Structures are given as structure tokens and as C-alpha cells.
Amino acid sequence: QVQLVESGGGSVQAGGSLTLSCAASGYAYRSICMAWFRQAPGKEREGIASLYIGRGGSAYYADSVKGRFTISQAGANISVYLQMNTLKPEDTAMYYCAADHLARMCTEVTSPGSSDMFGYWGQGTQVTVSS
């Protein structure tokens, strides 16, 4: 059973930075698509970043975070960071780590309804950005 554990959420003022972490355990293979989603109150869950770990895959970003957020692998582990810079009040949301063994999930992370296709989820971590 794959388990994902997020950490690093919190409160910050607009323009500030936060780094989220997601550690996966219980996965038997070395390649996996890992992604970050977020959900603000009253809004749909949206995919914002993904990275395929194990085969040197490219990172994918939603337009809303491109140039401000960076997803990266945390060392040699099946873990990722989400470095968030120049945060805005509209970035306020619950952030979720997700994973799936299918590589194509990474390329489709920003597609509508992509959250329905990821097989593994963390519990979420709150990010609040004040103006």
C-alpha cells in the first residue's frame, strides 16, 4: 500500500515563499509520477505540478504557477518538494500530493478531472497567503 505524507504548509504574507515536501512509502518500483494538486474553498481540485521520478521525466506546471513554483525530487528517494515563491493570496488552498505509476498521468496533470485518475493521495497540507 502506497502512502504519501506531506509537510511544510503554513501561513505566509504575499510575496513570501514556502516549501512543501511529500514522501512516498510502500511503493515497490523505482518509477512513479508524483504531482501536486490544490483545492481552494468552493473550487475544484486542480493539478499544478508533476514530475516523473525514475526515468528523468520533465516537470509540468499549470499556467497559474509557472515561473513561481518548482517541483523537484528530494534526493534519491521517492519524495518531491514543491518550492513556492512569490506567493499570492489566490494561492491559498489545501495542497495535496498525489502519485500514480502511469507516466502519462504526469503529462495530464493540468487537464480537467485529472485528480480522478491519480491512484494515491496524501492527507493534504494547508497553505494560507495573506495580503
Side-chain angles (χ1 to χ4, degrees):
Q1 181 73 15
V2 176
Q3 291 187 323
L4 303 177
V5 178
E6 304 107 331
S7 61
S11 297
V12 65
Q13 289 192 327
S17 300
L18 281 174
T19 301
L20 306 183
S21 300
C22 175
S25 62
Y27 190 70
Y29 305 99
R30 293 189 176 183
S31 299
I32 189 171
C33 171
M34 297 195 73
W36 288 96
F37 287 76
R38 67 184 182 186
Q39 187 168 20
K43 294 190 176 181
E44 297 283 328
R45 187 172 297 190
E46 63 167 335
I48 58 171
S50 67
L51 180 68
Y52 193 69
I53 291 178
R55 298 182 183 178
S58 300
Y60 295 87
Y61 297 96
D63 289 342
S64 58
V65 306
K66 198 172 294 182
R68 300 187 298 123
F69 291 10
T70 302
I71 186 171
S72 60
Q73 185 174 359
N77 302 317
I78 303 180
S79 301
V80 290
Y81 296 123
L82 184 68
Q83 174 68 42
M84 306 185 293
N85 297 326
T86 320
L87 283 160
K88 305 174 182 179
E90 51 263 45
D91 293 318
T92 295
M94 185 70 80
Y95 283 69
Y96 297 90
C97 179
D100 199 275
H101 67 281
L102 292 176
R104 67 177 177 84
M105 297 309 302
C106 274
T107 65
E108 297 176 4
V109 67
T110 61
S111 299
S114 64
S115 62
D116 293 336
M117 297 184 286
F118 275 78
Y120 309 108
W121 289 88
Q123 79 286 356
T125 185
Q126 178 69 36
V127 171
T128 302
V129 184
S130 59
S131 57

